[in-house]
Structures are given as C-alpha cells and as structure tokens.
Amino acid sequence: YEKAAILGNCDARRCLGQMEIACGNPERRYKHYLLGAMAGADECLDQVKKGYKDKYVSKSDFADALRGHQETTNEMKREKTQLPINPVNPDGICQAEDIRQGALDSYQVMVAGLKRKLESGEMSQEEYDDTLRGLTIAHERVLAETTENITQWMQNL
C-alpha cells in the first residue's frame, strides 16, 4: 500500500490510515488521511474532519486539507481526461506488478495483526469485522485501479 500511496492512490492512503488504527497508532492515521484529503479523496477528508473534532488534527492542518482538497477537486474537474500511469519504468520493471504484490503482502500482514488483536482481546469481533471489511475494500480498489491503469496505458501504445 505504501508504494501505491506514494504514487498517488487515495484508496491506498486511506488503507494505510486504517492500518495505523489496527497497529495501535490512532494519531498517525491522520497523517495518511491528510495526504489523501489533499489529493482529493472525499473519504479521507471526512476522516480529517473527524480527527479535527477529536483533537488529533490541528486547525492549520485541517485548513490545509480543506484547501488542498478543493484545489485538487477543481483541477480534476478541469481535466476531463486523465493520463494513465505508465506501469513500466525505464528499466522495464513492471511497477504495477510491484504495487499489486506489495498491496497483497501488506494486506496479509494486516489481517494477521488484526487476528492477533482479536485473539488477545485487544479488539472486539465487531471492530475486527469492520476494520477487515475496510481493509478488504481498499485492497480490492488498489488492485482494480492498478489493472485499469495498465489497460489504459496498453491501449495508448
């Protein structure tokens, strides 16, 4: 997920925020949500609002997130067509495959961590189910977006 987030995938950024919760770092999750919100992700912006209300996000960070979200949203509206990510770097290594494998590895590690928290009693069954559902949705979105970018790039060759 980290690689996908670095490349601008907002679902991966949101998933990293959820992973921080599962790892017991609720404060760190908002750093991911702030970046996702500034990249135009509505779900991340909603989480930043919640973090501001819960005093995890400062007023200036909240204002920056709102401003960045608005700028990105306006820019996306202006650009009706979006260029796909080139999935092959100059060395011919398929970055998309790396992203998919990294996402799968991260997902498996997080599921194992969630299971440990459930078994140790640190997390209720309901919290486990909700977090796992969110992780799974984000994971599937990362895979779908990566596949779509590869398809678009191949069509433009």
Side-chain angles (χ1 to χ4, degrees), residues 94-149:
C94 185
Q95 293 176 353
E97 271 307 311
D98 292 344
I99 291 169
R100 276 193 278 236
Q101 187 59 51
L104 178 60
D105 293 346
S106 295
Y107 177 77
Q108 290 171 340
V109 167
M110 287 311 307
V111 169
L114 288 174
K115 285 180 182 176
R116 281 193 300 275
K117 285 184 176 274
L118 177 65
E119 290 167 359
S120 71
E122 292 178 57
M123 179 179 272
S124 71
Q125 183 67 48
E126 184 179 347
E127 291 172 319
Y128 172 84
D129 292 342
D130 288 345
T131 305
L132 182 61
R133 189 176 307 110
L135 285 173
T136 302
I137 290 168
H139 174 71
E140 289 170 354
R141 286 180 181 170
V142 168
L143 295 180
E145 187 173 304
T146 303
T147 301
E148 182 181 323
N149 284 334

Side-chain angles (χ1 to χ4, degrees), residues 4 11 21 36 60 66 69 89 91-92 94 111 119-120 139 149 155:
D11 286 325
I21 296 169
S60 65
L66 285 171
H69 183 272
N89 69 18
D91 298 326
C94 185
V111 169
E119 290 167 359
S120 71
H139 174 71
N149 284 334
Q155 289 172 350

Side-chain angles (χ1 to χ4, degrees), residues 15-35:
C15 187
L16 286 171
Q18 291 174 328
M19 290 166 64
E20 290 295 346
I21 296 169
C23 291
N25 300 319
E27 297 85 13
R28 283 194 57 191
R29 71 180 164 183
Y30 290 106
K31 292 183 186 219
H32 295 293
Y33 294 146
L34 284 165
L35 292 169

